[in-house]
Amino acid sequence: MSGFEEIEKKWQAEWSEKGLDRADRISGRPKFMIIFAYPGVTGFLHVGHLRGYTYTDAIGRYKRMTGYNVMFPVGTHATGNGAITLASRVANKDLDFIDYLTRNGCPEEKLEELKDPMKAVDFFNTIYVNEYWKRFGFLADWRRFTCTVHPDYGKFIQWQFKKLNECDLLMQKPYYSPACPVHGPVAIDASETDISKGGSAEVQEYTLLKFRHGDEYLIAATLRPETVYGQVCFWVNPDVQYTRIKKGNETWIVSKEAAEKLQLQVDGITVLSPIAGKDMIGWMCKAPMIHKDVPVLPASFSDPNVGSGMVTSVPSDAPDDWISLEALKKDRAVAKKYGLSETLIDSVVPISIISIEGYGDFPAEDIILSMGIDQPGDPRLDEAKKQVYKDGYHMGRMKDICGPFSGMRVEEAKDKMKQAMIDSGEAEVFYDLTEEVVCRCGMPVRVKRIDDQWFIDYGNEELTERTSEHCRHMEIYPPEFNENVHTTLRWFRERACVRQGNWLGTRFPVDEKWIIEAISDSTLYPLYYIISLYANDGRISPDNMTEEFFDHVALGKGDAEEVSKNTGIPKDVLDDIREDIKYWYPLDINLGGKEHMTVHFPVFLFNHRAILPDNMQPKGILVNWYITGKKNKISKSKGGAQPIPGAVEQFGVDPLRLYYAHVASMFVDVEWSEDNVMTYRQRLDRIIGTVEELLTSEEAGGKKEIDEWLISRFNGHSASIEAAMEKYDLRQMATAVYFEMLNDIKWYGRRGGNCKETVTEALRMWIPLMAPVTPHIAEELWSAAGFEGLVSSSQLPAAGPVSGAAEYREEFVREVMSDVIQIKKVTSATPKKIFLYTTPSWRSDVMRMGLEMMEAGALDIPSLTKKCMADENLRKNGKAVSEFVKKAVTDLTRSSSESKKYLIETDEYSLLISAKGFLTEELGADVEVFSSDDPDAYDPHNKSKAAVPGRPAIYLE
RNA sequence: GCAGGGGUAGCCAAGCACGGAAAAGGCGCAGGACUUAGGAUCCUGUUCUUAGUGAUACAAGGGUUCAAAUCCCUUCCCCUGCACCA
């Protein structure tokens, strides 16, 4: 056979030529529509991504071969700022990035046009389709390709949002989002898709506490409003410049950084005069809630970038506060420097407010002592803080001095106290990020209030209930997700669905200043693949694609004549689209990576349920896990993984496809390993070699027992594959096809099988089963075998009957062989002769009786013994019989009656006689077979007495 | 924290929803065959013990049962996702 690459090209051309990749409606023929969640266009993909895509193609191919008309469309997702960033990096001559492009095969002259984001999208779209999906031999309907930034797709999304609006699922409310000043709201996540720094940052809610000083307020930001009863002083960093700001008719003092952040979240803030931290030291200010005057003291840990830049001090429960207060009391020089009197310092004493199991009156003190921290600025203070916060929150209870909150659990008191202070005007809410975040464009990301943010109301109970109910009728794998998709749906609340700024995407039809964000424009899109065909070939254009058009083709609203007149689309085209949608929808399988479980899949389900009728609801979801790198996830953005074209060249497409299908269950992560792929390549080589050998073999014998065995085995595999594929279990299928069936066919040859007719029959079963996972090789072998047509468009034959008897008999021979080898090994002798003694017939008789009793449901040792003793012949052997009965009964109760039936029915003697030649050759010694009943048998060591049904006695000489 | 998943040979990994001789299959390793056009192929073995037997063994410990990797409880240890990111 020629090289992989050559046969890949050959058969891909052939499939395309014969139109296997085109999915058209065929009335009356069952259909199967499958997609993978389309990838975002953010750069080159790597070998990990092809895992899920390959599953999709293999399942589609299998369905095609079991009678279905299969539609497998593909597309890409370009909404967002990925392409914009990419283009700007090219435009800015970012060397690392240009190197990344060229390393992955981007020609130099292409760089110029990549400065245009849309061109960049086109560039990658072409790569995804030609270098990844087509290269992998997918039978996708390329005519239907769509991309989220194409104008026709946009029309579809606008229609979808109009429908959501009609269902009252769009709403507006203020929203606090991490936002870039240029690009608007950004996503913060570990993959750092939108941002260049700070992927693990979180938005934290601070309570701003207002401390009155004269007619001004010093503002402290706290994460623990429940600790206000323990406030004893106020920390200001003497080395920081603060500023006064006008907030409504109040004057606040905060750090300059905090002032900037506040302006993003609160209206009408004006910055007034600056004030140095050191000028506030020694002030007295009135603490909220407890209304006590507390002194302002110096603290270096107070960071202007965090919160308001000032901190209220609760030494009892805050390690920083405790250690700073202690330091201040110890080092009187500092107090002196700021003119603080000793009496003032001494008057500040911690107040115990929360009791936590395992801690004393002052949790902060305890944790500091146990961790051995002895001065401010110790880096472990952060850990100490986290620990004591966590324990306090979950196990703590408010002590009796906490007024109306006394006795409450901290978890409960926290919200209540915060709310009480907000209500009395002593506190406000403020949001900040836990660490510095920088947008891809280089600008700092801050939390910003957006007043008129639009949301999709996934919190809608009625919709949630209906969606959840529908999921009960779906096929969702893995089973865990099938279980917890319901909780995921319930956990969803409103989701911001639009954003502003420099983003690619579709204009929000309700208010055009917004652009629909990336998740929200990718929920209903499988439906669009049916329509995209017509937009792509020009039969309809974005101008025609009005709300009325979509209402008609998707929902069956309106009269075709009328719609045709209003849209300018010919009626027959409208009818075709409508019929296509009725034929292809609902979607049978949506396959996607595990990251979709809490993001894409729920909204995919919600939107279908909200907009489309009952008979258009999705039928299945398949989730696949990742291919990982050595230590961490192979990442698109961080590179390091093998580019796809290189891998294809190195290993061949089919070995890669087999690797994905078989290396592990779909539902576990797999560590990428070239050696693994290589072993799959070798396995395919072996299969190819074996088949070629079978085809070219000159030997031609008649049918023997082993022929029946082979066909029975293959029928069994076919049936188990059918069952496995009901659950889309490609791995189990691949085990049968590429391992077990190969082993069987090898064994067949070893046992002297050489019947042309059987071999042909076996290949007709085997090769098509290879077509879903390794289509190119299957095609090549199919043609080499001289079978008609393309195997990819053939139908899998229904599984024939299995012969339990034939399989049992073969197993018996194998056991005998293995036992002899065992004995040879243990004795480390090389025998010249091997004597086999089949069971004495009385033992079979006992077994037979036992089996009868078991089937009658009355098998036990005493009654079987009794029954045996009633037999005159058996009674002669009294002692041996009763001993054997014990063994037989335990034996019988432990295993299925099915296998015991074969055990009794098999004529072991003639079976061994027929296998004599084979055993002699395999074992390298002459084999003699005797029946234990034979009084003249050569048996010098009386081994024959060990013979039982299914287990002949063995003597080596 | 919330939600969920898992611990099976040197390694990867089936089996577990529905209890019925545990180790499918692969990799690795060790012998042997064939022979070095190869990242080969074929055979055998791979917990201990042993004339093919027997004994141990599915994270640890309990329980239910004639019977437990599988069902229940306790403990220990790993992992995943958590929102505007396909």
Side-chain angles (χ1 to χ4, degrees):
Chain A
M1 186 184 279
S2 28
F4 281 104
E5 189 165 344
E6 197 180 315
I7 72 164
E8 285 157 13
K9 293 255 156 69
K10 175 169 78 181
W11 294 111
Q12 285 168 14
E14 190 72 15
W15 297 327
S16 172
E17 165 95 1
K18 295 272 160 44
L20 263 63
D21 51 4
R22 294 194 281 282
D24 289 309
R25 164 165 49 91
I26 304 172
S27 295
R29 182 97 177 271
K31 65 87 195 181
F32 188 83
M33 182 173 176
I34 181 168
I35 65 155
F36 55 72
Y38 51 29
V41 184
T42 50
F44 298 94
L45 299 182
H46 57 70
V47 286
H49 293 96
L50 269 306
R51 185 181 187 187
Y53 308 155
T54 296
Y55 291 148
T56 314
D57 183 60
I59 291 168
R61 282 175 173 272
Y62 179 83
K63 283 287 173 183
R64 178 187 303 273
M65 295 177 73
T66 50
Y68 291 90
N69 186 17
V70 173
M71 157 126 72
F72 165 31
V74 295
T76 60
H77 182 266
T79 309
N81 72 346
I84 295 174
T85 310
L86 198 149
S88 71
R89 287 174 83 173
V90 176
N92 295 336
K93 302 220 173 350
D94 179 331
L95 288 179
D96 283 350
F97 190 68
I98 287 168
D99 178 53
Y100 160 79
L101 289 171
T102 45
R103 210 174 51 238
N104 277 279
C106 174
E108 203 105 346
E109 62 272 19
K110 268 270 171 196
L111 289 174
E112 188 57 33
E113 66 179 68
L114 293 186
K115 293 176 184 172
D116 174 354
M118 288 305 286
K119 289 267 170 58
V121 171
D122 287 343
F123 172 75
F124 280 108
N125 280 345
T126 309
I127 286 179
Y128 287 16
V129 169
N130 291 336
E131 290 182 25
Y132 305 156
W133 300 332
K134 283 191 178 170
R135 196 73 186 74
F136 258 67
F138 291 177
L139 291 185
D141 190 344
W142 312 108
R143 303 169 304 167
R144 297 175 186 272
F145 178 86
T146 196
C147 175
T148 58
V149 295
H150 288 176
D152 54 317
Y153 186 93
K155 288 289 181 176
F156 173 69
I157 295 308
Q158 292 194 325
W159 171 76
Q160 182 197 336
F161 273 80
K162 286 176 189 163
K163 297 302 111 180
L164 288 173
N165 203 20
E166 274 176 24
C167 305
D168 270 340
L169 287 168
L170 297 180
M171 56 192 282
Q172 268 182 305
K173 64 173 189 181
Y175 176 61
Y176 293 87
S177 165
C180 162
V182 180
H183 293 106
V186 296
I188 296 183
D189 71 293
S191 71
E192 301 192 342
T193 307
D194 286 358
I195 56 181
S196 64
K197 187 181 174 194
S200 53
E202 288 175 49
V203 175
Q204 252 173 343
E205 184 192 280
Y206 286 87
T207 305
L208 295 182
L209 300 174
K210 294 154 70 175
F211 288 70
R212 180 180 275 278
H213 172 258
D215 53 5
E216 301 176 327
Y217 292 98
L218 278 67
I219 306 297
T222 182
L223 293 167
R224 301 196 67 192
E226 75 277 14
T227 61
V228 288
Y229 277 91
Q231 299 176 109
V232 293
C233 58
F234 191 93
W235 299 119
V236 165
N237 190 330
D239 303 323
V240 165
Q241 280 295 316
Y242 292 86
T243 182
R244 291 189 170 85
I245 57 172
K246 190 91 187 159
K247 197 250 170 200
N249 46 21
E250 296 173 349
T251 305
W252 288 12
I253 299 174
V254 296
S255 72
K256 285 184 170 168
E257 291 79 0
E260 281 176 30
K261 293 177 193 168
L262 271 168
Q263 283 180 304
L264 294 172
Q265 295 178 30
V266 182
D267 287 334
I269 288 195
T270 38
V271 177
L272 306 172
S273 55
I275 175 169
K278 62 178 184 333
D279 294 343
M280 291 183 268
I281 308 296
W283 286 6
M284 295 300 285
C285 54
K286 198 171 282 298
M289 182 70 84
I290 54 175
H291 308 122
K292 276 199 304 209
D293 279 325
V294 296
V296 175
L297 301 178
S300 55
F301 74 88
S302 192
D303 183 342
N305 288 302
V306 177
S308 61
M310 293 187 273
V311 188
T312 183
S313 171
V314 184
S316 59
D317 290 84
D320 273 313
D321 296 356
W322 181 277
I323 201 99
S324 297
L325 183 59
E326 277 211 322
L328 197 60
K329 289 190 174 189
K330 240 182 265 166
D331 186 359
R332 297 291 165 151
V334 177
K336 205 164 196 175
K337 179 176 167 194
Y338 295 105
L340 299 166
S341 75
E342 304 228 340
T343 18
L344 178 74
I345 302 266
D346 290 336
S347 73
V348 178
V349 285
I351 304 169
S352 173
I353 49 164
I354 294 174
S355 68
I356 311 173
E357 206 182 306
Y359 288 88
D361 281 345
F362 301 110
E365 179 187 25
D366 293 344
I367 192 106
I368 283 169
L369 289 177
S370 72
M371 290 178 72
I373 298 170
D374 56 7
Q375 55 181 336
D378 189 310
R380 288 171 302 166
L381 275 166
D382 217 41
E383 194 192 326
K385 182 169 74 183
K386 277 191 185 139
Q387 189 61 45
V388 78
Y389 275 27
K390 203 169 131 186
D391 291 342
Y393 185 74
H394 295 289
M395 308 192 294
R397 204 168 267 284
M398 307 310 297
K399 288 193 169 180
D400 288 344
I401 61 156
C402 300
F405 307 98
S406 300
M408 269 187 202
R409 291 188 310 115
V410 168
E411 258 180 286
E412 184 188 359
K414 187 185 188 107
D415 272 349
K416 297 226 160 117
M417 290 167 82
K418 178 182 81 182
Q419 200 52 50
M421 290 187 286
I422 291 171
D423 292 346
S424 66
E426 294 175 295
E428 297 199 14
V429 171
F430 168 70
Y431 299 89
D432 201 1
L433 292 161
T434 49
E435 59 182 273
E436 188 188 5
V437 180
V438 180
C439 180
R440 281 246 178 120
C441 70
M443 297 296 281
V445 170
R446 300 258 165 86
V447 179
K448 184 174 191 300
R449 194 192 70 209
I450 294 153
D451 278 318
D452 50 354
Q453 174 70 47
W454 287 89
F455 294 81
I456 301 176
D457 184 13
Y458 293 123
N460 183 300
E461 275 182 39
E462 194 258 331
L463 176 62
T464 305
E465 210 30 67
R466 284 199 300 142
T467 308
S468 175
E469 174 55 29
H470 171 68
C471 288
R472 289 181 223 286
H473 307 289
M474 290 179 69
E475 281 188 280
I476 300 178
Y477 294 100
E480 301 88 87
F481 187 50
N482 187 39
E483 295 285 319
N484 65 32
V485 66
H486 303 284
T487 26
T488 308
L489 291 169
R490 269 183 207 105
W491 166 75
F492 255 76
R493 299 194 296 271
E494 306 84 20
R495 185 185 181 92
C497 61
V498 295
R499 67 201 329 172
Q500 287 173 317
N502 192 11
W503 294 82
L504 299 183
T506 302
R507 291 275 159 201
F508 185 54
V510 181
D511 180 352
E512 298 250 337
K513 81 173 184 205
W514 297 98
I515 291 170
I516 295 164
E517 66 82 38
I519 302 292
S520 303
D521 76 355
S522 303
T523 61
L524 209 60
Y525 73 92
L527 178 64
Y528 189 68
Y529 283 126
I530 303 173
I531 303 169
S532 63
L533 173 68
Y534 296 84
N536 288 345
D537 69 16
R539 276 181 283 174
I540 56 176
S541 80
D543 302 334
N544 306 130
M545 296 163 75
T546 60
E547 184 175 1
E548 189 184 8
F549 162 75
F550 286 112
D551 278 349
H552 178 70
V553 296
L555 304 174
K557 284 189 194 165
D559 174 65
E561 299 273 4
E562 187 73 13
V563 177
S564 169
K565 205 167 71 198
N566 294 340
T567 59
I569 301 170
K571 181 175 171 296
D572 59 322
V573 173
L574 278 178
D575 289 345
D576 273 342
I577 300 176
R578 175 70 189 140
E579 286 306 309
D580 280 0
I581 286 178
K582 277 158 71 181
Y583 177 77
W584 290 111
Y585 236 56
L587 179 69
D588 291 278
I589 289 288
N590 186 353
L591 185 149
K594 64 179 178 181
E595 77 277 17
H596 296 301
M597 286 193 289
T598 49
V599 185
H600 167 64
F601 287 136
V603 296
F604 156 75
L605 292 165
F606 275 129
N607 278 271
H608 273 82
R609 192 58 273 192
I611 295 171
L612 298 177
D614 290 351
N615 61 1
M616 290 174 81
Q617 297 306 313
K619 296 172 91 165
I621 289 178
L622 235 49
V623 185
N624 72 273
W625 264 234
Y626 300 139
I627 302 283
T628 62
K630 263 276 175 289
K631 281 240 166 73
N632 39 23
K633 191 155 88 174
I634 314 184
S635 152
K636 257 192 288 199
S637 49
K638 298 190 179 105
Q642 180 153 24
I644 292 160
V648 164
E649 216 170 287
Q650 187 181 356
F651 304 108
V653 169
D654 282 349
L656 281 165
R657 291 177 59 117
L658 178 58
Y659 162 78
Y660 294 127
H662 187 264
V663 69
S665 126
M666 206 183 267
F667 316 125
V668 294
D669 286 333
V670 172
E671 195 177 287
W672 169 254
S673 139
E674 298 199 354
D675 289 349
N676 272 349
V677 184
M678 214 50 220
T679 59
Y680 283 105
R681 186 190 162 117
Q682 284 163 11
R683 177 144 297 263
L684 283 177
D685 281 334
R686 271 164 75 185
I687 288 175
I688 293 164
T690 304
V691 172
E692 283 179 340
E693 228 169 82
L694 287 171
L695 290 173
T696 52
S697 165
E698 293 297 323
E699 270 184 87
K703 285 209 179 176
K704 304 191 226 8
E705 257 201 80
I706 197 67
D707 291 271
E708 191 196 344
W709 173 84
L710 182 69
I711 298 303
S712 170
R713 290 283 297 178
F714 271 34
N715 282 336
H717 292 312
S718 290
S720 72
I721 286 165
E722 217 173 284
M725 288 305 288
E726 282 290 309
K727 297 186 286 177
Y728 306 106
D729 190 342
L730 285 164
R731 180 170 205 253
Q732 204 180 323
M733 181 225 207
T735 301
V737 176
Y738 300 92
F739 294 87
E740 290 168 357
M741 291 176 93
L742 175 65
N743 288 345
D744 286 347
I745 214 146
K746 289 262 175 209
W747 180 257
Y748 171 79
R750 209 171 142 197
R751 286 286 269 127
N754 57 0
C755 172
K756 278 277 174 209
E757 197 187 325
T758 303
V759 167
T760 305
E761 192 182 348
L763 290 179
R764 270 196 186 279
M765 291 167 78
W766 193 24
I767 297 170
L769 288 169
M770 298 178 200
V773 174
T774 54
H776 308 91
I777 282 166
E779 212 62 81
E780 188 72 11
L781 294 177
W782 185 256
S783 120
F787 297 144
E788 64 294 334
L790 289 171
V791 70
S792 300
S793 57
S794 72
Q795 293 295 298
L796 291 174
V802 167
S803 163
E807 296 197 17
Y808 172 80
R809 292 161 67 86
E810 205 48 37
E811 195 52 40
F812 175 84
V813 174
R814 271 202 222 216
E815 287 281 323
V816 170
M817 213 171 105
S818 156
D819 281 350
V820 173
I821 289 165
Q822 270 287 324
I823 298 168
K824 273 169 77 173
K825 191 193 158 205
V826 171
T827 56
S828 51
T830 20
K832 293 199 178 62
K833 293 200 93 165
I834 296 165
F835 300 93
L836 304 175
Y837 312 90
T838 58
T839 182
S841 53
W842 67 264
R843 285 188 163 157
S844 303
D845 294 342
V846 172
M847 279 294 231
R848 190 173 294 117
M849 281 192 264
L851 186 66
E852 278 163 15
M853 289 172 77
M854 186 167 78
E855 280 170 348
L859 179 67
D860 56 72
I861 297 172
S863 34
L864 181 58
T865 315
K866 211 171 277 175
K867 196 166 174 196
C868 290
M869 291 312 161
D871 185 301
E872 209 168 308
N873 284 328
L874 287 177
R875 201 163 48 217
K876 284 183 200 153
N877 262 325
K879 181 113 175 115
V881 168
S882 73
E883 247 165 53
F884 181 68
V885 164
K886 271 186 228 164
K887 199 172 146 53
V889 170
T890 19
D891 229 30
L892 282 167
T893 44
R894 271 188 189 164
S895 61
S896 72
S897 62
E898 183 84 359
S899 63
K900 289 292 176 255
K901 209 174 79 201
Y902 298 126
L903 180 127
I904 288 158
E905 281 171 1
T906 302
D907 176 354
E908 298 181 0
Y909 182 75
S910 60
L911 177 54
L912 286 178
I913 291 291
S914 75
K916 210 169 108 173
F918 169 70
L919 290 174
T920 299
E921 197 175 313
E922 290 282 331
L923 297 170
D926 281 342
V927 173
E928 289 286 344
V929 182
F930 297 106
S931 161
S932 294
D933 292 332
D934 182 354
D936 303 326
Y938 173 75
D939 185 12
H941 287 83
N942 196 22
K943 288 283 180 192
S944 67
K945 71 173 195 301
V948 295
R951 209 96 199 253
I954 296 164
Y955 171 59
L956 306 187
E957 193 175 78

